[in-house]
Amino acid sequence: MKSRIKKGDNVMVISGKDSGKKAKVLKVFPKDGKLLVEGVNVQKRRQKPRKSGEKGQTLEKALPINLANVLPWCTSCAKGVRVGAKIIKNKKVRICRKCEKEI
């Protein structure tokens, strides 16, 4: 699945339990159509003690969410927007569909 969202982009979650949150993309999985977003879809996981005498612990781990559940965040519009592409000075750049500024 082709995506116009890249690592390091700011996105807004539009559906699910974390809808309305704005965060940074940590990693994109294009084959699965998923991405890892900072502080979104965080689950608690129990970890058993590895060595004798060590205590078990509860860790918080961010799990991937579907690409369709996020929109890129445009700083000039201050909202989640669709992304277009434009060639500027022989270089292809991503633009906001609303205000036509570079993302």
Side-chain angles (χ1 to χ4, degrees):
M1 175 182 237
K2 190 174 177 182
S3 166
R4 294 203 174 169
I5 299 174
K6 311 245 185 273
K7 177 182 173 181
D9 284 352
N10 289 317
V11 294
M12 178 179 152
V13 180
I14 57 171
S15 68
K17 67 178 186 178
D18 294 313
S19 72
K21 285 189 179 179
K22 293 175 271 307
K24 190 175 187 179
V25 176
L26 300 175
K27 194 170 183 179
V28 179
F29 305 102
K31 286 185 181 177
D32 301 329
K34 296 187 180 263
L35 50 93
L36 196 63
V37 182
E38 185 176 37
V40 174
N41 197 21
V42 177
Q43 305 288 323
K44 288 188 177 184
R45 297 282 187 230
R46 289 277 300 136
Q47 184 180 28
K48 287 184 175 183
R50 300 281 179 200
K51 300 174 188 169
S52 62
E54 192 177 86
K55 288 186 177 179
Q57 55 188 337
T58 304
L59 301 173
E60 288 190 351
K61 184 179 180 184
L63 298 176
I65 62 172
N66 202 315
L67 271 168
N69 295 341
V70 296
L71 280 176
W73 183 258
C74 179
T75 52
S76 59
C77 295
K79 60 171 88 170
V81 294
R82 294 183 301 138
V83 176
K86 195 180 253 188
I87 297 174
I88 300 173
K89 297 181 185 174
N90 295 330
K91 190 175 180 183
K92 190 174 181 179
V93 294
R94 295 176 301 150
I95 60 164
C96 167
R97 287 282 180 131
K98 297 228 180 216
C99 65
E100 304 221 351
K101 301 241 172 136
E102 188 176 336
I103 293 180

